[in-house]
Amino acid sequence: MNPFQLKVSQSRVGSILIAIVMLMSFGVKAQDKKAKELLDEVTTKIKSYDNIVIDFKYSLNNLKENINQDSKGNVTMKGNMYVLNLMGVTKIFDGKKTYTINPEDEEVSISKVNEKEDNAITPSKMLTFFNTGYKFNWDILQNVRGRKIQYIKLAPINSKDPRKEILLGIDIQTKNIYNLIEVGKNGTKTTLTVNSFKTNQPLSKNQFIFEASKYPKYYINKLD
């Protein structure tokens, strides 16, 4: 399962008396506006960086299936390009093609990716995916080791979306994303927590280029 295929659901509002409905409607609109303003700040901040380097913890849990997995990874992003390392596998997206390098199988899979049509929350979209396709509401504020983390609850507009909800935790001071919690309709919960967030780092000019010469014994599997 792609760590960055993070998924969400739908919200509901109910009421009885007309006066209560009006009050509730006003409250929801205010919350939505507040949430939108914070998400806009996050987007503006992210777009101001030349590149982003993140170390993170990824957790996958499903009580019904007795699944409980934790792993660490890192990702380097510049524009829509990225290099992702997770669970021993490296994934490179150069803007046109994705190269998945699996040392255990000594195989490199190459595929074309249309990021505009792909619904998956890939590394290059994980910090701004919330801008389209979701309804959002202001949620709880938590104190995490002295940091104030404000959560925004996201619900997909598409009723066929398998995601139940996503909670996006934002550091109020830095306006950077702290964590992303996905709850699927199948009971699976995935959590991505940012351990280190660095920006504008010196990167190699070949950072996002796949070099086949580094993998002479690997089987090259062209999927397209």
Side-chain angles (χ1 to χ4, degrees):
M1 179 179 176
N2 188 316
F4 300 101
Q5 288 179 336
L6 309 166
K7 316 184 180 181
V8 277
S9 92
Q10 277 147 3
S11 1
R12 65 250 186 268
V13 172
S15 49
I16 303 175
L17 302 173
I18 294 177
I20 296 177
V21 172
M22 292 175 66
L23 287 173
M24 287 183 67
S25 297
F26 177 80
V28 170
K29 287 179 181 178
Q31 285 186 336
D32 286 350
K33 182 181 179 182
K34 203 173 178 181
K36 177 73 164 58
E37 288 174 350
L38 180 57
L39 292 176
D40 285 346
E41 285 187 77
V42 172
T43 301
T44 299
K45 191 80 178 286
I46 288 167
K47 288 183 177 180
S48 71
Y49 302 132
D50 179 65
N51 61 67
I52 299 172
V53 180
I54 295 174
D55 288 327
F56 61 86
K57 177 183 177 182
Y58 173 70
S59 300
L60 173 65
N61 307 98
N62 187 313
L63 295 177
K64 191 180 294 184
E65 300 295 333
N66 197 27
I67 298 173
N68 189 9
Q69 299 176 346
D70 291 324
S71 56
K72 292 182 179 181
N74 60 75
V75 60
T76 300
M77 297 176 279
K78 181 180 175 67
N80 69 336
M81 300 181 292
Y82 63 80
V83 177
L84 168 68
N85 294 293
L86 182 65
M87 298 179 183
V89 175
T90 297
K91 209 167 189 177
I92 301 172
F93 180 61
D94 62 7
K96 295 181 179 179
K97 294 182 179 180
T98 299
Y99 302 83
T100 303
I101 305 163
N102 190 329
E104 185 175 348
D105 297 334
E106 292 193 336
E107 179 180 74
V108 177
S109 297
I110 304 175
S111 60
K112 292 180 182 178
V113 176
N114 186 338
E115 293 241 309
K116 292 181 180 179
E117 295 180 0
D118 187 5
N119 290 323
I121 302 178
T122 58
S124 54
K125 292 192 291 184
M126 66 169 278
L127 299 179
T128 56
F129 76 91
F130 44 78
N131 285 313
T132 57
Y134 299 92
K135 296 177 182 179
F136 37 77
N137 288 96
W138 196 257
D139 208 76
I140 62 173
L141 176 68
Q142 284 190 342
N143 190 312
V144 181
R145 295 188 293 275
R147 299 168 65 185
K148 290 184 178 180
I149 306 299
Q150 176 62 56
Y151 283 91
I152 304 296
K153 183 178 289 187
L154 301 160
I157 294 173
N158 186 349
S159 61
K160 295 181 180 180
D161 197 303
R163 296 170 287 188
K164 184 179 179 182
E165 66 182 22
I166 282 181
L167 282 170
L168 188 65
I170 300 168
D171 187 313
I172 289 296
Q173 183 176 2
T174 65
K175 300 300 187 296
N176 290 330
I177 293 174
Y178 166 70
N179 68 351
L180 196 157
I181 304 168
E182 169 205 341
V183 180
K185 291 177 181 177
N186 64 355
T188 299
K189 179 181 178 181
T190 55
T191 304
L192 189 150
T193 304
V194 175
N195 293 324
S196 171
F197 189 100
K198 298 178 182 178
T199 61
N200 303 332
Q201 299 296 294
L203 303 179
S204 165
K205 63 179 182 180
N206 297 323
Q207 184 78 40
F208 306 101
I209 296 175
F210 171 72
E211 298 180 60
S213 59
K214 291 183 177 180
Y215 311 94
K217 296 181 180 181
Y218 279 47
Y219 172 69
I220 306 297
N221 182 15
K222 295 184 179 180
L223 301 178
D224 300 309

